[in-house]
CSV table of all heavy atoms in Angstrom, one decimal:
chain,number,residue,atom,x,y,z
Y,1,MET,N,7.1,-42.8,-52.6
Y,1,MET,CA,7.2,-41.9,-51.4
Y,1,MET,C,6.0,-40.9,-51.5
Y,1,MET,O,5.8,-40.0,-52.4
Y,1,MET,CB,8.4,-41.0,-51.5
Y,1,MET,CG,9.7,-41.9,-51.2
Y,1,MET,SD,10.1,-41.8,-49.5
Y,1,MET,CE,11.6,-42.8,-49.6
Y,2,ALA,N,5.0,-41.1,-50.6
Y,2,ALA,CA,3.9,-40.2,-50.6
Y,2,ALA,C,4.0,-39.1,-49.6
Y,2,ALA,O,3.0,-38.6,-49.1
Y,2,ALA,CB,2.6,-41.1,-50.3
Y,3,ARG,N,5.2,-38.8,-49.3
Y,3,ARG,CA,5.4,-37.8,-48.3
Y,3,ARG,C,5.2,-36.4,-48.9
Y,3,ARG,O,5.4,-36.2,-50.1
Y,3,ARG,CB,6.9,-37.8,-47.8
Y,3,ARG,CG,7.0,-38.9,-46.8
Y,3,ARG,CD,8.5,-38.9,-46.3
Y,3,ARG,NE,8.7,-39.6,-45.0
Y,3,ARG,CZ,9.8,-39.5,-44.3
Y,3,ARG,NH1,10.8,-38.9,-44.8
Y,3,ARG,NH2,10.0,-40.1,-43.2
Y,4,SER,N,4.8,-35.5,-48.0
Y,4,SER,CA,4.8,-34.1,-48.5
Y,4,SER,C,6.2,-33.5,-48.6
Y,4,SER,O,7.1,-34.0,-47.9
Y,4,SER,CB,3.9,-33.3,-47.4
Y,4,SER,OG,4.4,-33.5,-46.2
Y,5,LYS,N,6.2,-32.6,-49.4
Y,5,LYS,CA,7.6,-32.0,-49.6
Y,5,LYS,C,8.1,-31.2,-48.4
Y,5,LYS,O,7.5,-30.2,-48.0
Y,5,LYS,CB,7.5,-31.0,-50.8
Y,5,LYS,CG,7.5,-31.7,-52.1
Y,5,LYS,CD,7.5,-30.6,-53.2
Y,5,LYS,CE,7.4,-31.4,-54.6
Y,5,LYS,NZ,7.2,-30.4,-55.7
Y,6,LYS,N,9.1,-31.8,-47.9
Y,6,LYS,CA,9.7,-31.2,-46.7
Y,6,LYS,C,11.2,-31.3,-46.9
Y,6,LYS,O,11.8,-32.3,-47.2
Y,6,LYS,CB,9.3,-31.9,-45.4
Y,6,LYS,CG,7.9,-31.6,-45.0
Y,6,LYS,CD,7.6,-32.3,-43.7
Y,6,LYS,CE,6.1,-32.0,-43.4
Y,6,LYS,NZ,5.7,-32.8,-42.2
Y,7,ARG,N,11.9,-30.2,-46.6
Y,7,ARG,CA,13.4,-30.3,-46.7
Y,7,ARG,C,13.9,-29.3,-45.7
Y,7,ARG,O,13.4,-28.3,-45.4
Y,7,ARG,CB,13.8,-29.9,-48.2
Y,7,ARG,CG,13.4,-28.5,-48.6
Y,7,ARG,CD,13.7,-28.4,-50.1
Y,7,ARG,NE,13.2,-27.1,-50.6
Y,7,ARG,CZ,13.9,-26.0,-50.7
Y,7,ARG,NH1,15.2,-26.0,-50.3
Y,7,ARG,NH2,13.4,-24.9,-51.2
Y,8,PHE,N,15.1,-29.7,-45.3
Y,8,PHE,CA,15.8,-28.9,-44.3
Y,8,PHE,C,16.6,-27.8,-44.9
Y,8,PHE,O,17.1,-27.9,-46.0
Y,8,PHE,CB,16.7,-29.8,-43.5
Y,8,PHE,CG,16.0,-30.6,-42.5
Y,8,PHE,CD1,15.6,-31.9,-42.8
Y,8,PHE,CD2,15.7,-30.1,-41.2
Y,8,PHE,CE1,14.9,-32.7,-41.9
Y,8,PHE,CE2,14.9,-30.9,-40.3
Y,8,PHE,CZ,14.6,-32.2,-40.7
Y,9,ILE,N,16.7,-26.7,-44.2
Y,9,ILE,CA,17.5,-25.6,-44.7
Y,9,ILE,C,18.8,-25.7,-44.2
Y,9,ILE,O,19.1,-25.5,-43.0
Y,9,ILE,CB,16.8,-24.2,-44.4
Y,9,ILE,CG1,15.4,-24.2,-44.8
Y,9,ILE,CG2,17.6,-23.1,-45.0
Y,9,ILE,CD1,14.6,-23.1,-44.2
Y,10,ALA,N,19.8,-25.9,-45.0
Y,10,ALA,CA,21.2,-26.1,-44.6
Y,10,ALA,C,21.7,-24.8,-44.1
Y,10,ALA,O,21.6,-23.8,-44.7
Y,10,ALA,CB,22.0,-26.7,-45.7
Y,11,GLY,N,22.3,-24.9,-42.9
Y,11,GLY,CA,22.9,-23.7,-42.3
Y,11,GLY,C,22.0,-22.7,-41.7
Y,11,GLY,O,22.5,-21.7,-41.1
Y,12,ALA,N,20.7,-23.0,-41.7
Y,12,ALA,CA,19.8,-22.1,-41.1
Y,12,ALA,C,19.8,-22.2,-39.6
Y,12,ALA,O,19.8,-23.3,-39.1
Y,12,ALA,CB,18.4,-22.3,-41.7
Y,13,THR,N,19.6,-21.2,-38.9
Y,13,THR,CA,19.6,-21.3,-37.4
Y,13,THR,C,18.2,-20.8,-36.9
Y,13,THR,O,17.7,-19.8,-37.3
Y,13,THR,CB,20.6,-20.3,-36.8
Y,13,THR,OG1,21.9,-20.6,-37.4
Y,13,THR,CG2,20.7,-20.5,-35.3
Y,14,CYS,N,17.7,-21.6,-36.0
Y,14,CYS,CA,16.4,-21.3,-35.4
Y,14,CYS,C,16.5,-20.0,-34.5
Y,14,CYS,O,17.4,-20.0,-33.7
Y,14,CYS,CB,15.9,-22.5,-34.6
Y,14,CYS,SG,14.3,-22.1,-33.8
Y,15,THR,N,15.6,-19.1,-34.7
Y,15,THR,CA,15.6,-17.9,-34.0
Y,15,THR,C,15.2,-18.1,-32.5
Y,15,THR,O,15.4,-17.3,-31.6
Y,15,THR,CB,14.8,-16.8,-34.6
Y,15,THR,OG1,13.4,-17.3,-34.8
Y,15,THR,CG2,15.4,-16.4,-35.9
Y,16,GLU,N,14.5,-19.2,-32.3
Y,16,GLU,CA,14.0,-19.5,-31.0
Y,16,GLU,C,15.0,-20.3,-30.1
Y,16,GLU,O,15.4,-19.8,-29.0
Y,16,GLU,CB,12.7,-20.3,-31.1
Y,16,GLU,CG,11.5,-19.5,-31.2
Y,16,GLU,CD,11.2,-18.6,-30.0
Y,16,GLU,OE1,10.9,-19.2,-28.9
Y,16,GLU,OE2,11.2,-17.4,-30.2
Y,17,CYS,N,15.4,-21.5,-30.6
Y,17,CYS,CA,16.3,-22.3,-29.8
Y,17,CYS,C,17.7,-22.3,-30.2
Y,17,CYS,O,18.5,-23.0,-29.7
Y,17,CYS,CB,15.7,-23.7,-29.7
Y,17,CYS,SG,15.7,-24.6,-31.3
Y,18,LYS,N,18.0,-21.6,-31.3
Y,18,LYS,CA,19.3,-21.4,-31.8
Y,18,LYS,C,19.9,-22.7,-32.4
Y,18,LYS,O,21.1,-22.8,-32.5
Y,18,LYS,CB,20.2,-20.9,-30.7
Y,18,LYS,CG,19.7,-19.6,-30.1
Y,18,LYS,CD,19.6,-18.5,-31.0
Y,18,LYS,CE,19.0,-17.2,-30.3
Y,18,LYS,NZ,18.6,-16.2,-31.3
Y,19,ALA,N,19.1,-23.7,-32.6
Y,19,ALA,CA,19.5,-24.9,-33.2
Y,19,ALA,C,19.9,-24.7,-34.6
Y,19,ALA,O,19.2,-24.0,-35.4
Y,19,ALA,CB,18.5,-26.0,-33.0
Y,20,VAL,N,21.0,-25.4,-35.0
Y,20,VAL,CA,21.4,-25.3,-36.5
Y,20,VAL,C,20.9,-26.5,-37.2
Y,20,VAL,O,20.9,-27.6,-36.8
Y,20,VAL,CB,22.9,-25.2,-36.6
Y,20,VAL,CG1,23.4,-25.0,-38.0
Y,20,VAL,CG2,23.5,-24.0,-35.7
Y,21,ASP,N,20.5,-26.2,-38.5
Y,21,ASP,CA,20.1,-27.3,-39.4
Y,21,ASP,C,18.8,-27.9,-38.9
Y,21,ASP,O,18.6,-29.1,-39.2
Y,21,ASP,CB,21.1,-28.3,-39.7
Y,21,ASP,CG,22.2,-27.7,-40.5
Y,21,ASP,OD1,22.0,-26.7,-41.2
Y,21,ASP,OD2,23.3,-28.3,-40.5
Y,22,SER,N,18.0,-27.2,-38.1
Y,22,SER,CA,16.8,-27.8,-37.6
Y,22,SER,C,15.6,-27.3,-38.2
Y,22,SER,O,14.4,-27.7,-38.0
Y,22,SER,CB,16.7,-27.6,-36.1
Y,22,SER,OG,16.5,-26.3,-35.7
Y,23,LEU,N,15.8,-26.3,-39.1
Y,23,LEU,CA,14.7,-25.6,-39.7
Y,23,LEU,C,14.2,-26.4,-41.0
Y,23,LEU,O,15.0,-26.7,-41.9
Y,23,LEU,CB,15.0,-24.2,-40.1
Y,23,LEU,CG,15.2,-23.2,-39.0
Y,23,LEU,CD1,15.6,-21.9,-39.5
Y,23,LEU,CD2,14.0,-23.2,-38.0
Y,24,MET,N,12.9,-26.7,-41.0
Y,24,MET,CA,12.4,-27.5,-42.1
Y,24,MET,C,11.5,-26.6,-42.9
Y,24,MET,O,10.6,-25.9,-42.4
Y,24,MET,CB,11.6,-28.6,-41.4
Y,24,MET,CG,11.1,-29.7,-42.4
Y,24,MET,SD,10.2,-30.9,-41.5
Y,24,MET,CE,8.9,-30.0,-40.8
Y,25,LEU,N,11.7,-26.7,-44.2
Y,25,LEU,CA,10.9,-25.9,-45.1
Y,25,LEU,C,9.8,-26.8,-45.8
Y,25,LEU,O,10.2,-27.8,-46.3
Y,25,LEU,CB,11.8,-25.3,-46.2
Y,25,LEU,CG,11.1,-24.3,-47.2
Y,25,LEU,CD1,10.6,-23.0,-46.6
Y,25,LEU,CD2,12.1,-24.0,-48.3
Y,26,TYR,N,8.6,-26.4,-45.7
Y,26,TYR,CA,7.6,-27.2,-46.4
Y,26,TYR,C,6.6,-26.2,-47.0
Y,26,TYR,O,6.4,-25.1,-46.6
Y,26,TYR,CB,7.0,-28.1,-45.4
Y,26,TYR,CG,6.2,-27.5,-44.3
Y,26,TYR,CD1,4.8,-27.3,-44.4
Y,26,TYR,CD2,6.9,-27.0,-43.2
Y,26,TYR,CE1,4.1,-26.8,-43.3
Y,26,TYR,CE2,6.2,-26.5,-42.1
Y,26,TYR,CZ,4.8,-26.3,-42.2
Y,26,TYR,OH,4.1,-25.7,-41.2
Y,27,SER,N,5.9,-26.8,-48.0
Y,27,SER,CA,4.8,-26.0,-48.7
Y,27,SER,C,3.5,-26.5,-48.3
Y,27,SER,O,3.2,-27.6,-48.2
Y,27,SER,CB,5.1,-26.2,-50.2
Y,27,SER,OG,5.6,-25.0,-50.8
Y,28,GLU,N,2.6,-25.5,-48.0
Y,28,GLU,CA,1.3,-25.8,-47.7
Y,28,GLU,C,0.3,-24.8,-48.4
Y,28,GLU,O,0.4,-23.7,-48.2
Y,28,GLU,CB,1.1,-25.7,-46.2
Y,28,GLU,CG,-0.2,-26.4,-45.7
Y,28,GLU,CD,-0.3,-26.4,-44.2
Y,28,GLU,OE1,-0.3,-25.3,-43.6
Y,28,GLU,OE2,-0.2,-27.4,-43.5
Y,29,HIS,N,-0.5,-25.4,-49.2
Y,29,HIS,CA,-1.4,-24.6,-50.0
Y,29,HIS,C,-0.6,-23.5,-50.8
Y,29,HIS,O,-1.0,-22.4,-51.0
Y,29,HIS,CB,-2.4,-23.9,-49.1
Y,29,HIS,CG,-3.2,-24.8,-48.2
Y,29,HIS,ND1,-3.9,-25.8,-48.7
Y,29,HIS,CD2,-3.2,-24.9,-46.9
Y,29,HIS,CE1,-4.5,-26.5,-47.7
Y,29,HIS,NE2,-4.0,-26.0,-46.6
Y,30,GLY,N,0.5,-23.9,-51.3
Y,30,GLY,CA,1.3,-23.0,-52.1
Y,30,GLY,C,2.1,-22.0,-51.4
Y,30,GLY,O,2.7,-21.2,-51.9
Y,31,ILE,N,2.0,-22.0,-50.1
Y,31,ILE,CA,2.7,-21.1,-49.3
Y,31,ILE,C,3.8,-21.8,-48.5
Y,31,ILE,O,3.6,-22.9,-47.9
Y,31,ILE,CB,1.8,-20.4,-48.2
Y,31,ILE,CG1,0.6,-19.7,-49.1
Y,31,ILE,CG2,2.5,-19.3,-47.4
Y,31,ILE,CD1,-0.6,-19.3,-48.1
Y,32,GLU,N,4.9,-21.2,-48.5
Y,32,GLU,CA,6.1,-21.8,-47.9
Y,32,GLU,C,6.1,-21.5,-46.4
Y,32,GLU,O,5.9,-20.3,-46.0
Y,32,GLU,CB,7.4,-21.4,-48.5
Y,32,GLU,CG,7.6,-22.0,-49.8
Y,32,GLU,CD,9.0,-21.8,-50.4
Y,32,GLU,OE1,9.5,-20.7,-50.1
Y,32,GLU,OE2,9.5,-22.6,-51.1
Y,33,HIS,N,6.3,-22.5,-45.6
Y,33,HIS,CA,6.4,-22.4,-44.2
Y,33,HIS,C,7.7,-22.9,-43.7
Y,33,HIS,O,8.3,-23.8,-44.3
Y,33,HIS,CB,5.3,-23.0,-43.4
Y,33,HIS,CG,3.9,-22.5,-43.8
Y,33,HIS,ND1,3.4,-21.4,-43.2
Y,33,HIS,CD2,3.0,-22.9,-44.7
Y,33,HIS,CE1,2.2,-21.2,-43.7
Y,33,HIS,NE2,2.0,-22.1,-44.6
Y,34,VAL,N,8.2,-22.4,-42.6
Y,34,VAL,CA,9.4,-22.9,-41.9
Y,34,VAL,C,9.1,-23.4,-40.5
Y,34,VAL,O,8.4,-22.6,-39.8
Y,34,VAL,CB,10.5,-21.9,-41.9
Y,34,VAL,CG1,11.7,-22.4,-41.2
Y,34,VAL,CG2,10.9,-21.5,-43.3
Y,35,GLU,N,9.5,-24.6,-40.2
Y,35,GLU,CA,9.3,-25.1,-38.8
Y,35,GLU,C,10.5,-25.6,-38.3
Y,35,GLU,O,11.2,-26.4,-39.0
Y,35,GLU,CB,8.2,-26.1,-38.8
Y,35,GLU,CG,7.8,-26.6,-37.5
Y,35,GLU,CD,6.7,-27.6,-37.5
Y,35,GLU,OE1,6.0,-27.7,-38.5
Y,35,GLU,OE2,6.4,-28.3,-36.4
Y,36,CYS,N,10.8,-25.3,-37.0
Y,36,CYS,CA,11.9,-25.9,-36.3
Y,36,CYS,C,11.5,-27.2,-35.7
Y,36,CYS,O,10.5,-27.3,-35.0
Y,36,CYS,CB,12.4,-24.9,-35.3
Y,36,CYS,SG,13.7,-25.6,-34.3
Y,37,VAL,N,12.3,-28.3,-36.0
Y,37,VAL,CA,11.9,-29.6,-35.6
Y,37,VAL,C,12.4,-29.8,-34.1
Y,37,VAL,O,12.0,-30.7,-33.4
Y,37,VAL,CB,12.6,-30.7,-36.4
Y,37,VAL,CG1,11.9,-30.7,-37.8
Y,37,VAL,CG2,14.0,-30.6,-36.5
Y,38,GLU,N,13.2,-28.9,-33.7
Y,38,GLU,CA,13.7,-29.0,-32.3
Y,38,GLU,C,12.7,-28.4,-31.3
Y,38,GLU,O,12.4,-29.1,-30.2
Y,38,GLU,CB,15.1,-28.2,-32.1
Y,38,GLU,CG,16.2,-28.8,-32.9
Y,38,GLU,CD,16.6,-30.2,-32.3
Y,38,GLU,OE1,16.5,-30.3,-31.1
Y,38,GLU,OE2,17.1,-31.1,-33.0
Y,39,CYS,N,12.2,-27.2,-31.5
Y,39,CYS,CA,11.3,-26.6,-30.6
Y,39,CYS,C,9.9,-26.4,-31.1
Y,39,CYS,O,9.0,-25.9,-30.4
Y,39,CYS,CB,12.0,-25.3,-30.1
Y,39,CYS,SG,12.0,-24.0,-31.4
Y,40,GLY,N,9.7,-26.6,-32.4
Y,40,GLY,CA,8.4,-26.5,-33.0
Y,40,GLY,C,8.1,-25.1,-33.4
Y,40,GLY,O,6.9,-24.8,-33.7
Y,41,PHE,N,9.1,-24.2,-33.4
Y,41,PHE,CA,8.9,-22.8,-33.7
Y,41,PHE,C,8.5,-22.7,-35.2
Y,41,PHE,O,9.1,-23.4,-36.0
Y,41,PHE,CB,10.1,-22.0,-33.4
Y,41,PHE,CG,10.0,-20.5,-33.8
Y,41,PHE,CD1,9.2,-19.7,-33.1
Y,41,PHE,CD2,10.8,-20.0,-34.8
Y,41,PHE,CE1,9.1,-18.3,-33.4
Y,41,PHE,CE2,10.7,-18.7,-35.2
Y,41,PHE,CZ,9.8,-17.9,-34.5
Y,42,LYS,N,7.5,-21.9,-35.5
Y,42,LYS,CA,7.1,-21.8,-36.9
Y,42,LYS,C,7.3,-20.4,-37.4
Y,42,LYS,O,7.0,-19.4,-36.7
Y,42,LYS,CB,5.6,-22.2,-37.0
Y,42,LYS,CG,5.4,-23.6,-36.9
Y,42,LYS,CD,4.0,-24.0,-37.0
Y,42,LYS,CE,3.8,-25.6,-36.8
Y,42,LYS,NZ,2.4,-25.9,-36.9
Y,43,MET,N,7.6,-20.3,-38.7
Y,43,MET,CA,7.8,-19.0,-39.4
Y,43,MET,C,7.0,-19.1,-40.7
Y,43,MET,O,7.0,-20.1,-41.3
Y,43,MET,CB,9.2,-18.7,-39.6
Y,43,MET,CG,10.0,-18.2,-38.4
Y,43,MET,SD,11.7,-17.9,-38.9
Y,43,MET,CE,12.4,-19.5,-38.9
Y,44,ASP,N,6.3,-18.0,-41.0
Y,44,ASP,CA,5.6,-18.0,-42.2
Y,44,ASP,C,6.4,-17.4,-43.4
Y,44,ASP,O,6.1,-17.7,-44.5
Y,44,ASP,CB,4.3,-17.1,-42.0
Y,44,ASP,CG,3.3,-17.9,-41.2
Y,44,ASP,OD1,3.3,-19.1,-41.2
Y,44,ASP,OD2,2.5,-17.2,-40.6
Y,45,GLU,N,7.5,-16.7,-43.0
Y,45,GLU,CA,8.3,-16.1,-44.1
Y,45,GLU,C,9.7,-16.5,-44.0
Y,45,GLU,O,10.4,-15.9,-43.3
Y,45,GLU,CB,8.2,-14.5,-44.0
Y,45,GLU,CG,7.0,-14.0,-44.6
Y,45,GLU,CD,7.1,-12.4,-44.7
Y,45,GLU,OE1,6.6,-11.8,-43.8
Y,45,GLU,OE2,7.6,-11.9,-45.7
Y,46,PRO,N,10.0,-17.5,-44.8
Y,46,PRO,CA,11.3,-18.0,-44.8
Y,46,PRO,C,12.3,-17.0,-45.3
Y,46,PRO,O,13.5,-17.0,-44.9
Y,46,PRO,CB,11.3,-19.2,-45.8
Y,46,PRO,CG,9.8,-19.5,-46.0
Y,46,PRO,CD,9.1,-18.2,-45.7
Y,47,LYS,N,11.9,-16.2,-46.2
Y,47,LYS,CA,12.8,-15.2,-46.8
Y,47,LYS,C,13.2,-14.2,-45.8
Y,47,LYS,O,14.3,-13.5,-46.0
Y,47,LYS,CB,12.0,-14.5,-48.0
Y,47,LYS,CG,12.1,-15.3,-49.2
Y,47,LYS,CD,11.0,-14.8,-50.2
Y,47,LYS,CE,10.9,-15.9,-51.3
Y,47,LYS,NZ,9.7,-15.6,-52.1
Y,48,ALA,N,12.5,-14.0,-44.7
Y,48,ALA,CA,12.9,-13.0,-43.7
Y,48,ALA,C,14.1,-13.5,-42.9
Y,48,ALA,O,14.8,-12.8,-42.2
Y,48,ALA,CB,11.8,-12.7,-42.7
Y,49,GLN,N,14.4,-14.8,-43.0
Y,49,GLN,CA,15.5,-15.4,-42.3
Y,49,GLN,C,16.9,-15.1,-42.9
Y,49,GLN,O,17.8,-14.9,-42.2
Y,49,GLN,CB,15.3,-17.0,-42.3
Y,49,GLN,CG,16.5,-17.7,-41.7
Y,49,GLN,CD,16.4,-17.7,-40.1
Y,49,GLN,OE1,15.5,-17.1,-39.6
Y,49,GLN,NE2,17.4,-18.3,-39.5
Y,50,GLY,N,16.9,-15.0,-44.2
Y,50,GLY,CA,18.2,-14.7,-44.8
Y,50,GLY,C,18.7,-13.3,-44.6
Y,50,GLY,O,18.0,-12.5,-44.0
Y,51,SER,N,19.9,-13.1,-45.1
Y,51,SER,CA,20.4,-11.8,-45.0
Y,51,SER,C,20.0,-10.9,-46.2
Y,51,SER,O,20.6,-10.8,-47.2
Y,51,SER,CB,22.0,-11.9,-45.0
Y,51,SER,OG,22.4,-12.5,-46.1
Y,52,GLY,N,18.8,-10.4,-46.1
Y,52,GLY,CA,18.2,-9.6,-47.1
Y,52,GLY,C,18.1,-8.1,-46.9
Y,52,GLY,O,17.3,-7.5,-47.4
Y,53,SER,N,19.1,-7.7,-46.1
Y,53,SER,CA,19.1,-6.3,-45.9
Y,53,SER,C,19.7,-5.5,-47.1
Y,53,SER,O,20.9,-5.6,-47.4
Y,53,SER,CB,19.9,-5.9,-44.6
Y,53,SER,OG,21.2,-6.4,-44.8
Y,54,GLU,N,18.8,-4.8,-47.8
Y,54,GLU,CA,19.3,-4.1,-48.9
Y,54,GLU,C,19.2,-2.6,-48.6
Y,54,GLU,O,18.3,-2.0,-49.0
Y,54,GLU,CB,18.5,-4.5,-50.1
Y,54,GLU,CG,18.8,-5.9,-50.6
Y,54,GLU,CD,17.9,-6.2,-51.8
Y,54,GLU,OE1,17.6,-5.3,-52.6
Y,54,GLU,OE2,17.5,-7.4,-51.9
Y,55,ARG,N,20.2,-2.1,-47.9
Y,55,ARG,CA,20.1,-0.7,-47.5
Y,55,ARG,C,21.1,0.1,-48.4
Y,55,ARG,O,22.2,-0.3,-48.6
Y,55,ARG,CB,20.5,-0.5,-46.0
Y,55,ARG,CG,19.3,-0.9,-45.2
Y,55,ARG,CD,19.6,-0.6,-43.7
Y,55,ARG,NE,18.7,-1.2,-42.8
Y,55,ARG,CZ,18.9,-1.1,-41.5
Y,55,ARG,NH1,19.9,-0.5,-41.0
Y,55,ARG,NH2,18.0,-1.7,-40.7
Y,56,THR,N,20.6,1.1,-48.9
Y,56,THR,CA,21.5,2.0,-49.6
Y,56,THR,C,21.8,3.2,-48.8
Y,56,THR,O,20.9,3.8,-48.2
Y,56,THR,CB,20.8,2.4,-51.0
Y,56,THR,OG1,19.6,2.9,-50.7
Y,56,THR,CG2,20.7,1.2,-51.9
Y,57,PHE,N,23.1,3.5,-48.8
Y,57,PHE,CA,23.4,4.7,-48.1
Y,57,PHE,C,23.6,5.9,-49.0
Y,57,PHE,O,24.6,6.0,-49.7
Y,57,PHE,CB,24.8,4.4,-47.3
Y,57,PHE,CG,24.6,3.3,-46.3
Y,57,PHE,CD1,24.9,2.0,-46.6
Y,57,PHE,CD2,24.1,3.6,-45.0
Y,57,PHE,CE1,24.7,1.0,-45.7
Y,57,PHE,CE2,24.0,2.6,-44.1
Y,57,PHE,CZ,24.3,1.3,-44.4
Y,58,ASP,N,22.6,6.7,-49.0
Y,58,ASP,CA,22.6,7.9,-49.9
Y,58,ASP,C,23.7,8.8,-49.5
Y,58,ASP,O,24.2,9.6,-50.3
Y,58,ASP,CB,21.3,8.5,-49.9
Y,58,ASP,CG,20.2,7.6,-50.5
Y,58,ASP,OD1,20.5,6.8,-51.4
Y,58,ASP,OD2,19.0,7.7,-50.1
Y,59,GLY,N,24.1,8.8,-48.2
Y,59,GLY,CA,25.1,9.8,-47.7
Y,59,GLY,C,26.4,9.6,-48.4
Y,59,GLY,O,27.2,10.5,-48.4
Y,60,VAL,N,26.7,8.4,-48.8
Y,60,VAL,CA,28.0,8.0,-49.3
Y,60,VAL,C,28.2,8.8,-50.7
Y,60,VAL,O,29.3,9.4,-50.9
Y,60,VAL,CB,28.2,6.6,-49.6
Y,60,VAL,CG1,29.6,6.3,-50.2
Y,60,VAL,CG2,28.1,5.8,-48.3
Y,61,ILE,N,27.2,8.9,-51.4
Y,61,ILE,CA,27.3,9.5,-52.7
Y,61,ILE,C,27.2,11.1,-52.4
Y,61,ILE,O,26.4,11.6,-51.7
Y,61,ILE,CB,26.1,9.2,-53.6
Y,61,ILE,CG1,26.1,7.7,-53.8
Y,61,ILE,CG2,26.2,9.9,-55.0
Y,61,ILE,CD1,24.8,7.1,-54.4
Y,62,GLY,N,28.1,11.8,-53.0
Y,62,GLY,CA,28.2,13.2,-52.8
Y,62,GLY,C,29.3,13.6,-51.9
Y,62,GLY,O,29.6,14.8,-51.7
Y,63,VAL,N,30.1,12.6,-51.5
Y,63,VAL,CA,31.3,13.0,-50.7
Y,63,VAL,C,32.4,13.5,-51.5
Y,63,VAL,O,33.2,14.4,-51.1
Y,63,VAL,CB,31.8,11.7,-50.0
Y,63,VAL,CG1,33.2,11.9,-49.3
Y,63,VAL,CG2,30.8,11.2,-48.9
Y,64,PHE,N,32.5,13.0,-52.8
Y,64,PHE,CA,33.5,13.5,-53.7
Y,64,PHE,C,33.4,15.0,-54.0
Y,64,PHE,O,32.3,15.6,-54.2
Y,64,PHE,CB,33.4,12.8,-55.0
Y,64,PHE,CG,34.0,11.3,-54.9
Y,64,PHE,CD1,33.1,10.2,-54.9
Y,64,PHE,CD2,35.4,11.1,-54.8
Y,64,PHE,CE1,33.6,9.0,-54.7
Y,64,PHE,CE2,35.9,9.8,-54.8
Y,64,PHE,CZ,35.0,8.8,-54.7
Y,65,LYS,N,34.5,15.6,-53.9
Y,65,LYS,CA,34.5,17.0,-54.2
Y,65,LYS,C,35.4,17.2,-55.4
Y,65,LYS,O,36.6,17.1,-55.4
Y,65,LYS,CB,35.1,17.8,-53.0
Y,65,LYS,CG,34.2,17.9,-51.8
Y,65,LYS,CD,34.9,18.7,-50.7
Y,65,LYS,CE,34.0,18.7,-49.4
Y,65,LYS,NZ,34.7,19.4,-48.3
Y,66,PRO,N,34.7,17.6,-56.5
Y,66,PRO,CA,35.5,17.9,-57.7
Y,66,PRO,C,36.4,19.1,-57.6
Y,66,PRO,O,36.0,20.1,-57.1
Y,66,PRO,CB,34.4,18.1,-58.8
Y,66,PRO,CG,33.2,18.5,-58.0
Y,66,PRO,CD,33.3,17.8,-56.6
Y,67,GLU,N,37.7,18.8,-57.9
Y,67,GLU,CA,38.6,20.0,-57.7
Y,67,GLU,C,38.9,20.7,-59.0
Y,67,GLU,O,38.9,20.1,-60.1
Y,67,GLU,CB,39.9,19.4,-57.2
Y,67,GLU,CG,39.7,19.0,-55.7
Y,67,GLU,CD,41.0,18.5,-55.2
Y,67,GLU,OE1,42.1,19.0,-55.6
Y,67,GLU,OE2,41.0,17.6,-54.3
A,101,LIG,ZN1,14.0,-24.1,-32.6
């Protein structure tokens, strides 16, 4: 198999056409790209697709009132 490394991202949804399991991850020059095989939409940052929201709510801390 002389194919370039391409694999589909299971469960990923295309942000353009909303197709599921159509996003293909491939490496080019050491950089990972994502392309939708349905509409041809391309993304340069696959990591932005995941749920990577790491927000800390500082307001939560400090609610406790020592009695
Ligand atoms: Zn698409």
